[in-house]
Amino acid sequence: MKTINTDVLVIGSGAGGIATALKAALDGHSVLVIDKDRHLGGTSAISGGWAWVPGNKQGVQQGDTREEIETYIKALAGDTYDAAAVAGFLDTVPEAMQFFEDDAEIEFSYPEKAPDYQMDVPGAKVSGRAVTVPATDGRILGHNRLRVQPYLMSYTVFGYMPEIGPDIATFLKANQNLKAFRYAARKLSKTWIETILHKRAYTRTNGNALMTRLITAADAAGIRMWTSTRADELIRDASGVVTGARISGEHAGVVHARYGVVIAAGGFSGDTELRKKHFPHDPHGTNHTTPTIGHHGDSVALAEPFGGHIDARPHQPASWGPVTVFRGLRGQKRWFPHLRAFGLPGLIAVDRDGVRFANESLSYHDYGVEMIKNDEGREGTFGWIIADQKAMRRYGIGYAKPWPFPQTYFLRSGFLHKARTVAELAAKIGVPGGRLQATLDEFNAGAARGEDPKFGRGSNWFHHFKGDMEHKPNPNLETLDKGPFYAVKIEMGDLGTYAGLAVNDRSEVLDADDRPVPGLYAVGTAAVSVFGGGYPGYGANIGPAMVFGYRTGRDIAAIAAERETGASTCGAQSTLA
């Protein structure tokens, strides 16, 4: 069997894994990254690509303070607030961001407005905490151009993935004015031509742009990145230190990692048995679907033989997101995560009783919390997005595109339901017609005035950011009163788990007695979330993944030296608190 030697083995090639690898490599260490998927980038590559990194240079310039940041995170975490972990995260943000920008040459955009998800909570800010990566030319990847995980196709506009911000806002106007139509037509034409000629379009946006930049930097740093390669089991030496792994697939063999192994292989939302244990709404393993990539519990399975275990303290075990499940043209299962759509004017969501149960302009995570709460004790967690002809023609409903795109496919796929009247639609989707009509009447009375007395939709900056900023008098509200009427079913999904492997203040995996497993680390959604179950803003998974990944890559050699000498040589440089 082939033997592979390296200083650091990283299992998983998402943002956390590549961040770890980059820092270790640029500090002069040899690094091997493996991924069981045939593509690099994992769920990070199909994400929005934002990173919530409060304390970055923009926030500092705008006067954001450590006290305000901690106040905000603490309010969202509640009783599961981990002061030491939060302190480590915030301590590391400035140097991590400087490293990514200056040493790894990752270009970040600092948007004028990227509101925190709960703007009514003390300490929330309109900007200065979330960053993103601008659209990037995929040709910088060179020989890796086709190796990055493709977009979730149901989330694209016929192959093109609009950037969150002005780009997607312009696409929403493509059926309303000629300038926007021409803009969208140019983007789509370029995408189609390049795809035909070169197998994939050059322009990369959102999470694909982020991973394009990170993987380009990793390649330039000489990091080996092997795909279609699975870590079957970890190995350790006679003293109990994890020293590598047995791997299979395209690069089968035994890896010896001098400084240790970093698990960055995602969470467990794709594993039925772990969901049954940790997701209260899914006790039978049939009430949840995930669009994530590779989150099959591998991280837990690899760590369990050493006492590694899931830290279930976060009050929400995952970052929730309502999802529509449907069938593609060839009958394949498809997913559409509703991360923005139903905060738009003229769209509401109701439960099986035809009643609104939450503010549709909440974040996808917070709306998911309300979905779970509303359906507690009932069979299944689901609801319906409802729209009238005005909203459908102007915005569509997520994957179901607006006029002038034909609705035939969306109807045949089962994604979209349509009826001439409210009563007919209610009968089609199985909700009480009288209640649905009463819900619309109540909503319409307030929406006509630009108000939502029941839930306060459209009352803060984050709500408006999810809506149509040009719509008056309220960017989030419009009556639903013009037939035909439409419905899309939403079920419970996630963007990654918040419960994860228990780790200490150095990202070392803890055993059953909460002692560190020497040589074994976990970052990203493989590890427990620093936010205690709250979702603070854009990039609440990617921000900590990159920051803690950077920190682990920075300290792993020093921690190994500490083990060898038996002396505490890492000092403050290697601790989170």
Side-chain angles (χ1 to χ4, degrees):
M1 184 173 286
K2 182 170 64 173
T3 298
I4 305 103
N5 293 306
T6 187
D7 290 333
V8 180
L9 171 63
V10 178
I11 302 170
S13 65
I18 298 297
T20 305
L22 262 177
K23 179 55 180 170
L26 291 179
D27 280 353
H29 312 305
S30 62
V31 183
L32 170 63
V33 176
I34 64 171
D35 199 304
K36 68 179 182 181
D37 198 90
R38 65 190 182 96
H39 291 107
L40 296 165
T43 300
S44 299
I46 65 168
S47 73
W50 291 70
W52 200 76
V53 281
N56 65 63
K57 62 186 180 183
Q58 181 195 34
V60 171
Q61 291 168 358
Q62 293 177 351
D64 195 7
T65 67
R66 177 72 168 255
E67 181 181 4
E68 289 175 305
I69 298 166
E70 290 177 343
T71 296
Y72 179 66
I73 297 173
K74 191 171 186 177
L76 271 57
D79 293 340
T80 55
Y81 182 71
D82 186 334
V86 171
F89 172 60
L90 297 179
D91 287 346
T92 311
V93 166
E95 66 175 89
M97 290 298 290
Q98 184 174 11
F99 165 78
F100 290 121
E101 291 187 306
D102 296 347
D103 298 341
E105 299 182 349
I106 309 297
E107 179 186 357
F108 291 104
S109 290
Y110 295 81
E112 181 182 351
K113 288 185 177 64
D116 286 336
Y117 280 3
Q118 295 203 25
M119 288 300 299
D120 297 327
V121 169
K125 293 289 183 182
V126 173
S127 61
R129 294 177 177 174
V131 304
T132 187
V133 172
T136 301
D137 192 323
R139 284 174 287 191
I140 66 172
L141 286 161
H143 66 101
N144 290 317
R145 187 176 70 83
L146 299 178
R147 296 186 72 203
V148 177
Q149 188 74 238
Y151 300 120
L152 187 65
M153 285 307 295
S154 61
Y155 221 62
T156 69
V157 180
F158 300 103
Y160 176 73
M161 177 66 80
E163 284 185 276
I164 298 171
D167 189 34
I168 195 169
T170 304
F171 262 77
L172 282 172
K173 306 295 181 187
N175 62 349
Q176 300 166 42
N177 69 68
L178 186 58
K179 183 178 179 181
F181 175 80
R182 288 174 174 167
Y183 175 89
R186 286 196 301 272
K187 294 282 188 179
L188 291 177
S189 297
K190 182 175 182 294
T191 297
W192 297 339
I193 291 170
E194 290 175 357
T195 301
I196 291 169
L197 295 178
H198 307 290
K199 297 185 179 180
R200 196 180 298 180
Y202 292 143
T203 302
R204 307 290 172 87
T205 60
N206 302 333
N208 231 259
L210 171 67
M211 293 314 303
T212 290
R213 289 284 186 181
L214 285 171
I215 289 166
T216 297
D219 189 59
I223 296 170
R224 290 174 290 178
M225 294 175 283
W226 293 351
T227 52
S228 300
T229 303
R230 177 187 293 273
D232 294 325
E233 63 175 327
L234 303 181
I235 55 178
R236 57 181 170 183
D237 62 18
S239 62
V241 177
V242 174
T243 57
R246 290 184 178 85
I247 62 176
S248 60
E250 287 190 4
H251 300 274
V254 176
V255 179
H256 294 291
R258 184 158 63 120
Y259 297 145
V261 176
V262 182
I263 300 176
F268 59 83
S269 55
D271 183 275
T272 301
E273 293 305 312
L274 289 173
R275 284 202 318 272
K276 286 162 65 174
K277 184 176 180 181
H278 295 283
F279 287 11
H281 70 281
D282 194 23
H284 307 298
T286 56
N287 189 36
H288 190 92
T289 186
T290 181
T292 58
I293 292 171
H295 289 229
H296 300 127
D298 297 46
S299 299
V300 178
L302 287 168
E304 276 183 333
F306 307 95
H309 58 281
I310 291 176
D311 183 342
R313 286 178 300 164
H315 60 79
Q316 298 299 323
S319 50
W320 307 124
V323 172
T324 297
V325 182
F326 63 104
R327 295 290 172 185
L329 289 172
R330 295 183 297 277
Q332 71 275 35
K333 191 175 183 179
R334 304 279 295 274
W335 298 267
F336 185 89
H338 292 274
L339 306 186
R340 179 177 187 266
F342 57 116
L344 289 164
L347 284 78
I348 66 169
V350 299
D351 63 11
R352 70 191 77 200
D353 298 320
V355 177
R356 290 178 72 213
F357 56 90
N359 182 339
E360 297 90 347
S361 289
L362 292 173
S363 75
Y364 36 87
H365 173 72
D366 294 313
Y367 197 84
V369 171
E370 296 302 317
M371 278 184 69
I372 293 171
K373 189 187 307 180
N374 185 67
D375 279 333
E376 187 175 359
R378 302 203 280 189
E379 186 66 29
T381 304
F382 66 92
W384 298 90
I385 300 174
I386 307 294
D388 72 347
Q389 177 67 4
K390 301 193 306 296
M392 188 68 206
R393 184 177 177 86
R394 186 163 190 167
Y395 306 114
I397 307 177
Y399 181 61
K401 303 299 183 287
W403 178 89
F405 299 112
Q407 298 172 355
T408 305
Y409 166 66
F410 308 117
L411 292 166
R412 286 181 177 174
S413 70
F415 182 90
L416 186 67
H417 304 267
K418 177 182 179 181
R420 293 178 297 104
T421 66
V422 173
E424 185 182 333
L425 182 69
K428 275 192 173 184
I429 63 176
V431 306
R435 285 192 182 179
L436 181 58
Q437 186 62 64
T439 295
L440 292 180
D441 291 342
E442 179 187 32
F443 178 81
N444 289 343
R449 305 188 303 270
E451 300 173 357
D452 177 20
K454 188 170 185 178
F455 293 115
R457 175 174 165 181
S459 59
N460 66 42
W461 262 111
F462 176 67
H463 296 177
H464 294 172
F465 206 66
K466 284 188 68 179
D468 179 352
M469 298 292 280
E470 296 181 10
H471 181 77
K472 306 299 180 185
N474 189 311
N476 301 100
L477 297 171
E478 175 59 87
T479 57
L480 287 79
D481 50 18
K482 182 178 176 56
F485 294 87
Y486 301 84
V488 168
K489 188 176 184 179
I490 50 175
E491 302 174 52
M492 188 45 53
D494 71 282
L495 282 71
T497 43
Y498 270 175
L501 288 172
V503 294
N504 66 6
D505 57 2
R506 305 198 295 194
S507 294
E508 293 174 293
V509 173
L510 301 178
D511 67 14
D513 296 316
D514 287 334
R515 297 173 303 189
V517 178
L520 184 61
Y521 306 81
V523 299
T525 51
V528 64
S529 171
V530 68
F531 299 131
Y535 203 116
Y538 294 95
N541 286 326
I542 288 179
M546 293 182 67
V547 170
F548 285 120
Y550 161 84
R551 193 173 183 115
T552 302
R554 182 194 71 185
D555 296 342
I556 193 169
I559 296 173
E562 176 186 316
R563 283 197 304 272
E564 291 177 5
T565 62
S568 183
T569 57
C570 283
Q573 183 83 359
S574 68
T575 61
L576 292 183

